[in-house]
Amino acid sequence: MERDELECFLLLAEELHFGRTADRMRLSRARVSQLVQRLERRVGAPLFTRTSRRVALTSLGRQLRADLEPHHRAIEAALERAATTARGVDTVLHVGFSNPLTGDIVMKVTEALRVSHPRLAVEICEVPLADPYGQLRKGEFDIQIAELPMREEDLGEGPTLLAEERILAIHSAHPLAARDSVSLEDLADVPLLTIAGNVPDYWLEHHVPAHTPSGRPIARGPSMTNMQEALMLVAGGRGALLAPAHTATYHARPGVAYVPFPDAEPTSYGLVWRAGHATGAVAAFARTAREVARDVARKDSRSSMPGAAPAAL
């Protein structure tokens, strides 16, 4: 088995979606399909069932995944240890970020750690919107800056780093788009896009509430798995999206209007890691992240962090 076949099989077994697998491998969907078919020919039987709506592992595929995954992780860890030793690095910290704002924070922390902890390397990766804690639980991340709330018993949480106001992303022709601001009660007049995937109920309710404060129902629109997909649906008039304020700058696009949302609870961000895995590297990252968040709050937010008005807490 060639390495690209192995990685493609394991990623597709995790994502069960050719498009997301292609994005993570930075390949075309056609190339992902070719790799899977080549592996299935090598094995001699299908590893996945495919329909127009879903992808699933066959029983043989599940068996192969269970047999291969631990060995693949061991190989990757061995290669990483060799590479870090060659670079004169003692530890590699894998850090997840949930959106462009937290990505900017992670980059600032990484730059600071290069000076204060030169033997600590930081590798960063985006946290999937449809599975906010899955990669952390698997050990693919050591720590991540995540949107709160977080109420997972097996995960540890640091203090809130910063918060920003929320806005409503809505089709530019919708009557609410002409308002100077909207309220939570206005959500009864437009369906909200929901999030598909492994998302906790309390997390979903925070981002996609089911009722207004007075108890009026809020309709659920189509489901989405990432921000680009969400904005495509908003631009098509399929629903609206509660979003953090920085989205207006990082994701400006035709057909989408962003309206201030004064009475919506701000989006807060904090550090999350696996309980019992607060290593020295994790602690160093957490200390530096708090310093960076304070520094961001002291500066003009519109010049130091475009599109957002964060406040350190």
Side-chain angles (χ1 to χ4, degrees):
M1 180 186 296
E2 297 183 13
R3 183 173 178 177
D4 57 353
E5 294 175 358
L6 170 61
E7 291 180 350
C8 184
F9 167 72
L10 290 175
L11 278 176
L12 185 57
E14 176 186 335
E15 294 286 355
L16 297 178
H17 190 284
F18 277 86
R20 292 196 293 272
T21 301
D23 289 343
R24 289 181 63 178
M25 295 191 72
R26 298 184 178 179
L27 298 174
S28 67
R29 293 191 184 197
R31 180 57 179 161
V32 169
S33 182
Q34 290 170 0
L35 289 171
V36 172
Q37 291 170 4
R38 193 169 73 188
L39 179 58
E40 289 178 328
R41 287 194 298 270
R42 189 188 302 275
V43 172
L47 300 171
F48 297 92
T49 58
R50 310 158 177 83
T51 69
S52 60
R53 293 184 174 273
R54 65 189 297 267
V55 178
L57 283 162
T58 63
S59 58
L60 179 61
R62 290 193 295 271
Q63 175 190 319
L64 183 61
R65 180 189 188 185
D67 290 341
L68 286 177
E69 201 162 38
H71 300 290
H72 180 252
R73 288 183 181 177
I75 291 170
E76 291 295 308
L79 288 171
E80 185 173 280
R81 285 194 297 271
T84 55
T85 300
R87 296 198 306 266
V89 172
D90 293 329
T91 305
V92 176
L93 192 68
H94 297 89
V95 180
F97 64 93
S98 59
N99 58 36
L101 174 61
T102 55
D104 281 349
I105 295 291
V106 169
M107 290 301 298
K108 289 177 181 290
V109 175
T110 300
E111 292 167 7
L113 287 172
R114 286 197 185 104
V115 176
S116 62
H117 294 73
R119 299 187 69 83
L120 171 62
V122 178
E123 299 287 346
I124 69 172
C125 188
E126 186 173 6
V127 177
L129 179 64
D131 190 10
Y133 307 120
Q135 289 175 275
L136 184 64
R137 286 192 167 105
K138 293 175 186 175
E140 295 176 15
F141 297 149
D142 298 300
I143 189 171
Q144 65 188 47
I145 301 183
E147 292 185 30
L148 304 176
M150 196 286 294
R151 302 169 191 158
E152 306 298 301
E153 293 183 356
D154 60 326
L155 301 178
E157 179 185 354
T160 299
L161 292 176
L162 68 162
E164 61 173 332
E165 299 302 317
R166 284 202 279 183
I167 55 179
L168 185 69
I170 192 165
H171 187 256
S172 56
H174 193 281
L176 291 178
R179 299 267 198 92
D180 292 331
S181 64
V182 292
S183 72
L184 289 170
E185 288 299 325
D186 292 322
L187 295 181
D189 299 326
V190 60
L192 285 183
L193 301 181
T194 189
I195 303 169
N198 187 21
V199 181
D201 290 342
Y202 67 85
W203 200 90
L204 184 64
E205 175 62 25
H206 177 78
H207 291 84
V208 191
H211 296 88
T212 69
S214 68
R216 299 166 67 199
I218 301 171
R220 289 284 171 92
S223 62
M224 49 81 179
T225 59
N226 59 66
M227 183 58 74
Q228 292 302 325
E229 185 179 348
L231 294 177
M232 178 186 69
L233 292 168
V234 172
R238 302 287 302 280
L241 176 72
L242 275 172
H246 74 268
T247 309
T249 294
Y250 284 99
H251 295 289
R253 61 169 293 166
V256 178
Y258 294 101
V259 187
F261 217 140
D263 65 344
E265 183 180 352
T267 295
S268 298
Y269 303 97
L271 295 169
V272 180
W273 58 84
R274 296 189 307 284
H277 290 77
T279 63
V282 166
F285 187 91
R287 286 195 302 271
T288 307
R290 288 193 289 271
E291 294 168 3
V292 167
R294 286 195 296 268
D295 186 54
V296 167
R298 284 194 296 266
K299 294 178 180 178
D300 178 358
S301 63
R302 296 197 179 277
S303 61
S304 63
M305 198 63 60
L313 301 178

